[in-house]
Amino acid sequence: MATQISEKQSVSELVITWEALPDDFQLEDEPVENTGQPILAGALRESLEIAGFIQPEMLIASNFGLCATINGDFIAKAPDWLYVPSVKEIIPERKSYTPNLEGDTPGIVMEFLSHTEGGEYSVKRTYPPGKWFFYEQILQVPIYVIFDPDGGLLEFYQLENSRYELKQPDENGLHWIESMGLFLGTWRGEKEARTGYWLRWWNKDDELLLWSVEMINKERQKAEQERQEKERLRDYLKSQGIDPDNLPT
């Protein structure tokens, strides 16, 4: 029988330890609630990869179990997206991650809201505790993002004095993430046949980190501009009575 976390217990009274999960422990299988969530998570990672941000020691994952032991009971919560600056051991196929034991505390966790309540806002303390309580009080993740893909609402919470405080974006509608050296904000457009709101990254110079399809289009536009410039030059030379094909090399 699971040990109960009393509503009257303060966090300081809880026994929180960081232990490896037993080999036979079954992580709760939290199903993806809609097909859009993996696309949103993948898009966040893709632009980081293209920009050369991701390093081998980092852990970036989606729908992935974060673990802790509270009063002797293993707890696992699976945020829709997470970033850990550094892990102690690079494991190609992790099934879960225990902060402090295996490396840094996650720098940021994200939840993408869906039509059904997934417990993103839950501050429930009794076993098993809600996600908000787990991220804020147990793991103490510095930044917690809650994003509504349908309406485009981005709620950006920062841990201050052991409590999440809602932060307003800057004049460009962006939030600075110091641990990543990047801005996070919303963007509306189309990718992978999905038109709507997306979470996107911007660098310190307010430049949008591009997806692969955007990089390809950018290169195509550049090539087309260069072709047009060459054609204009050829036309000009011809107008001056100069054969552009017989110019000295």
Side-chain angles (χ1 to χ4, degrees), residues 223-234:
E224 178 62 19
Q225 288 174 354
E226 291 176 350
R227 186 192 67 79
Q228 292 177 1
E229 289 176 2
K230 290 180 180 179
E231 285 299 317
R232 284 194 293 269
L233 178 58
R234 288 177 62 87

Side-chain angles (χ1 to χ4, degrees), residues 12 15 46 49 87 92 104 140 152 173 209 241 249:
S12 61
V15 179
E46 179 186 335
E49 287 179 326
V87 299
D104 292 348
Q140 297 182 344
L209 301 193
T249 58

Side-chain angles (χ1 to χ4, degrees), residues 25-116:
F25 185 82
Q26 296 297 314
L27 290 173
E28 180 182 355
D29 184 18
E30 296 192 7
V32 174
E33 296 182 17
N34 60 62
T35 57
Q37 290 182 351
I39 296 175
L40 291 167
L44 279 167
R45 183 186 182 95
E46 179 186 335
S47 56
L48 292 177
E49 287 179 326
I50 293 173
F53 173 85
I54 300 177
Q55 302 301 312
E57 69 273 11
M58 295 178 180
L59 173 60
I60 294 175
S62 56
N63 202 34
F64 179 83
L66 292 176
C67 307
T69 304
I70 307 175
N71 290 354
D73 291 314
F74 288 109
I75 307 292
K77 298 293 179 182
D80 292 321
W81 196 90
L82 65 89
Y83 160 73
V84 179
S86 179
V87 299
K88 294 179 180 179
E89 183 180 2
I90 299 172
I91 302 174
E93 296 184 3
R94 288 181 182 270
K95 295 183 178 180
S96 65
Y97 178 74
T98 303
N100 299 306
L101 175 69
E102 298 183 83
D104 292 348
T105 296
I108 179 171
V109 295
M110 299 186 189
E111 300 290 353
F112 308 142
L113 296 183
S114 61
H115 295 297
T116 58

